[in-house]
Structure formats: C-alpha cells, structure tokens
Amino acid sequence: MAPAPRRILLADADAFFVAVARQVDPDGAGKAEHLVVGGRPGSRGVVCSASYAARAFGVRSGMSIGQALRLCPQALAVPVPRKSCSDASRAIRAALERLAPVVVAASIDEFYCDLTGTEALYRGESLAETAHRMRATVIADTGLSVSIGGGTSRLIAKIAAGAAKPNAGAGGVHIVAAGAEEAFMRTQPLSEIPGIGPRAQEKLAKLGLVRVPQVLDADRTMLDRYLGRDFSAWLLRKARGIDDSPVVAGERQKSVSREDTFDHDIADDDALAVELQRLVVRVVGDLRGDGLAARTVTVKLREADFSTRLASRTLHEPVSTERPILAAARALLARLRHQRRRPVRLLGVALSSLDDGDVPAQLMLLEPVDDALRETERDRRLAAALDRVRGRFGAGAVRPASLVEPGAPATVEERRELDGPGRRPR
C-alpha cells in the first residue's frame, strides 16, 4: 500500500518587521499607513520590510532607505526593532508548537510544520481546517498575523503561503491538495520557485521562459541544450511541484552573522578595524548565546560603488571566543584591503561551519597551525565570566576598551542591544 501523502504547512508572518514595529510604537509606527522598516530618514540603511501600502509605490526589501522615501515620500521610516523581532519570532513558534508536533524555523518569520501521519491526532479534520486553527492561535497569542500554505512538500507549502498572503487577495490559508501540485504550479511564475534568483530569471527569460507552463511544455532537448542537463532536470522537477526534502526538527543553524551599513563611507583602516572588532564582539555573543562554536570566519565588504567582496578562513578547530575569531577576521580584512582600497559602506562578519559539541572537530592537516587562531582555556574562562556579567546587566555592560571613547555614549546599534543581542539568522 502506498504511503499517505505528506502534510506540510508553512506559516509565514505577514509583513513581520512592519507588524512588530507597529506593536513596539503604537502611537508612531502603529498609526502610519505607509511604513518602511530598516532605518531612519537620512540613514544609509536598507529596507528590511515595508507595509503593503508602501509596497504599492514600488518600495521593496533591499533598496536603500533614501530610494524608498523618494518612491513613497509620505512614508514613515523607522529602525528595525531587533530584540522585539526576536521575541515575536519565539512567540509565533511557541504558538505553532501547541498544535504541530514538528516545527522548524526557516527564518525569523517563517516556520515549517510537518503534520504527516497525524490525521488521527486531529480527528480527521482537513489540513485547511488545521491551518485555520493554527493561524487563529498565532493571532490570539501574539497579535501578529500569519499566512499559511500547505501541501505535500516544502516547495508547495512555500509557494502556497505566498498565494495565501493578504496582498494576494487571499484569506490567510491556501492548501494544495495531493495530486494537484502540477496544476497549482502551472499558475505560477518561475520567480516563485526557491533557487531561481534574478540571474537565472534573466537567463530563462531570454529563452522565453517566464512562467511555469512554458517550462513544462518546452522541448526537453532544447532545455538540456541551453540550460544543461542537470539544471533542466532540476527545473522540471520543481516546475512539477516535486520536492522530497524533509522537515527535520533540530536542523542545524548554518551560520551566524552581523553587518553594519555606515552613515558615511569609511576609507581609514584604523576606523574599519574598530568597526570590525565591534561586529566580532556582537556576532560572538550570538554564537555563544546559541551554545555553538564555529570553524569558518568570513569578512564581507561592500564598497562605495556597491561592489561586494568576501574572504573566508576555516580554522583547525571550532572556537567560540573573541580573540581567535578577531585575529582571523583582522587577517581577512587586511587581505581584502590589500587587494583593493576603496571607501567601504558596509562591513560584515559571518561565522559558519557551526558545531554544537556533538560533532568532533576535523583537523586541517595540510597547513601549519597558527597559534593566534587557537582557542585557549584562558579564552574560554574569560568568555564565561563576561557572559555572566552581560547576562545579569545586559549585552552592553562590558565592552573592549578599544571600543569605548572617554565620555562617549554607546553607538546606536549598541544602545539597541543593551536589552540583548539581535542577529541575522540563516
């Protein structure tokens, strides 16, 4: 007998950062129909989210705050309420976990729920009925709205959640029945398929492939010739709605990162070194807060012309303290600056190859060990002491002396984090 179809849901918070900003500031952001979240007017931040009314003017995530306000001059622009967003994300997940046996966060505002094999638990109610109950529970518990898509795979649930969005004219839930996957996919543009980014869309458009039916009805030989056999096979599977990827509880976090867009381009190496240390302090705090260690350090530069460059270094063993990570990050920054010296508008630090202690470290034997990148017992004792102080008095209670100017207040970012670290999840 064939196994029962999978029952997968994706709960996607509606305009999440906008909704949280409105909760945090009901008299300001809460009353603004046209709201942009990402930075204040005059800042060099980028749009993290925008209200549906602002999106109607062309405001989109990733554009600069200045561009967003030129498109929608009447909009109110506010910073991202990082800690409140983290708290709201945890609250949404807790509400979902009351009704779903497996809940996996795909991002701060997206959660996959696997209800496969739970028909008896839900007394035979349809997946749509369960989804409506889950949505109502989230709204009641958090005051935040979610759109829920569902079907037999993560792919279908993801795209169906988009179809359930208020700006799509839907009522918050869209379920694709088993066996209707390909018919549903035929209603979609190729840009809705995860993994088909702007470059792939451009390449496909040159071949006259913009919507899913154009791929499904195309000659396979032509697809193989112009796209390559592997990519065309992958594309056809996705276009048919075929996706076997599991929803796994406890999926490993892939990376932890921090980045800052500066109010003014920075060309001075000493000033960049200070900003780098500031980022390392914050990202290492995130790392240890999750009980993780990392082996790969990446430094990201975005220069005045918006070109972006990266440099990475994989260490010999997982580390979770500031000194070895800062040493690696400094060397990477020096490498990038040696290659090309232009004013920098954005600096970032990412930690990946994460280890929660269950996986033994795999030593890299092809290059000599750099003692400056080794984590010592003294590093770990110091980190534990700092964590205790920050846990009691706040994330900004202890900072390296090099980051403190006599009589100077904390930076805007540090003031935001006195209540606890936010982070860019992956």
Side-chain angles (χ1 to χ4, degrees), residues 21 24-25 28-29 35-48 63-69 75-81 261-263 412-413 415-416:
V24 171
D25 180 19
L35 182 63
V36 175
V37 180
R40 297 193 183 281
S43 73
R44 301 184 66 188
V46 298
V47 176
C48 182
M63 68 172 48
S64 69
I65 295 295
Q67 182 183 359
L69 293 179
L76 173 67
V78 300
V80 178
T261 299
F262 307 127
D263 291 336
V412 172
E413 185 65 33
R415 287 198 298 272
R416 288 184 195 139

Side-chain angles (χ1 to χ4, degrees), residues 65 70 77 79 200 218 246 249 259 262 297-298 305-306 310 403 412 424:
I65 295 295
R70 286 192 293 273
E259 61 184 41
F262 307 127
V297 181
T298 301
D305 62 356
F306 284 87
L310 305 172
L403 300 184
V412 172
R424 182 182 297 271

Side-chain angles (χ1 to χ4, degrees), residues 10-18 20 48-49 55 85 88-90 92 96 104-112 145-147 158 165 425:
L10 175 68
D12 184 357
D14 298 326
F16 176 70
F17 296 97
V18 166
V20 176
C48 182
S49 183
R55 294 181 198 183
C85 287
S89 178
R90 286 191 290 269
I92 291 174
L96 294 171
V104 174
S107 66
I108 194 171
D109 59 348
E110 292 183 318
F111 305 86
Y112 282 102
S145 174
V146 295
S147 294
K158 168 74 173 176
K165 287 286 183 182

Side-chain angles (χ1 to χ4, degrees), residues 20 28 59 72 80 131 163 171 178 200 213 224-225 252 259 266 270 274 305 329 400 407 416:
V20 176
V59 178
C72 186
V80 178
D224 288 347
R225 181 186 306 122
R252 288 183 180 273
E259 61 184 41
I266 297 178
D270 290 339
V274 171
D305 62 356
R416 288 184 195 139

Side-chain angles (χ1 to χ4, degrees), residues 58-378:
V59 178
R60 295 290 182 268
S61 298
M63 68 172 48
S64 69
I65 295 295
Q67 182 183 359
L69 293 179
R70 286 192 293 273
L71 291 171
C72 186
Q74 67 271 43
L76 173 67
V78 300
V80 178
R82 296 181 184 278
K83 182 177 184 298
S84 297
C85 287
S86 296
D87 292 343
S89 178
R90 286 191 290 269
I92 291 174
R93 178 167 184 162
L96 294 171
E97 287 176 337
R98 290 171 52 193
L99 294 172
V102 178
V103 178
V104 174
S107 66
I108 194 171
D109 59 348
E110 292 183 318
F111 305 86
Y112 282 102
C113 305
D114 192 345
L115 280 65
T116 304
T118 62
E119 291 83 353
L121 177 65
Y122 293 98
R123 295 183 174 86
E125 77 176 2
S126 69
L127 192 57
E129 291 171 323
T130 303
H132 279 291
R133 279 205 301 127
M134 294 174 73
R135 184 171 185 268
T137 299
V138 171
I139 294 172
D141 286 7
T142 70
L144 299 169
S145 174
V146 295
S147 294
I148 300 181
T152 58
S153 69
R154 291 173 61 137
L155 171 66
I156 294 296
K158 168 74 173 176
I159 299 176
K165 287 286 183 182
N167 62 330
V173 171
H174 188 100
I175 304 299
V176 178
E181 293 87 358
E182 184 171 328
F184 170 69
M185 291 299 297
R186 281 185 172 272
T187 68
Q188 300 299 315
L190 292 172
S191 58
E192 285 297 311
I193 298 177
I196 301 183
R199 290 186 180 179
Q201 292 172 36
E202 183 179 351
K203 181 176 181 179
L204 292 167
K206 289 180 179 178
L207 299 175
L209 305 174
V210 177
R211 300 190 63 82
V212 167
Q214 294 167 327
V215 169
L216 294 177
D217 298 337
D219 179 72
R220 178 62 187 271
T221 303
M222 183 274 289
L223 292 178
D224 288 347
R225 181 186 306 122
Y226 290 103
L227 300 177
R229 185 171 299 175
D230 290 341
F231 181 72
S232 65
W234 176 88
L235 181 60
L236 282 167
R237 281 178 56 83
K238 298 299 183 183
R240 294 184 180 115
I242 300 172
D243 173 29
D244 300 325
S245 60
V247 177
V248 181
E251 283 184 334
R252 288 183 180 273
Q253 190 173 343
K254 295 180 180 179
S255 68
V256 178
S257 64
R258 289 284 192 154
E259 61 184 41
D260 272 342
T261 299
F262 307 127
D263 291 336
H264 304 283
D265 294 342
I266 297 178
D268 180 70
D269 285 343
D270 290 339
L272 283 173
V274 171
E275 297 301 331
L276 181 75
Q277 185 173 10
R278 201 186 309 279
L279 287 168
V280 167
V281 169
R282 287 153 52 197
V283 77
V284 170
D286 295 342
L287 185 75
R288 287 203 303 272
D290 287 338
L292 298 169
R295 291 184 59 235
T296 300
V297 181
T298 301
V299 171
K300 172 183 177 181
L301 286 183
R302 180 166 297 147
E303 296 168 337
D305 62 356
F306 284 87
S307 61
T308 301
R309 296 186 294 133
L310 305 172
S312 298
R313 171 76 182 268
T314 298
L315 310 182
H316 294 78
E317 58 188 4
V319 297
S320 62
T321 57
E322 291 170 14
R323 186 192 57 78
I325 292 173
L326 180 58
R330 282 172 170 163
L332 294 169
L333 177 61
R335 183 198 306 175
L336 289 168
R337 296 289 286 168
H338 178 72
Q339 293 170 350
R340 189 170 68 194
R341 304 181 64 81
R342 293 180 180 174
V344 175
R345 63 178 286 114
L346 177 147
L347 180 65
V349 177
L351 306 178
S352 55
S353 302
L354 301 184
D355 177 18
D356 60 6
D358 293 333
V359 180
Q362 296 180 351
L363 298 180
M364 294 176 62
L365 303 178
L366 299 181
E367 58 176 318
V369 177
D370 184 343
D371 287 338
L373 305 181
R374 278 190 178 279
E375 186 171 85
T376 66
E377 183 58 33
R378 181 178 182 277

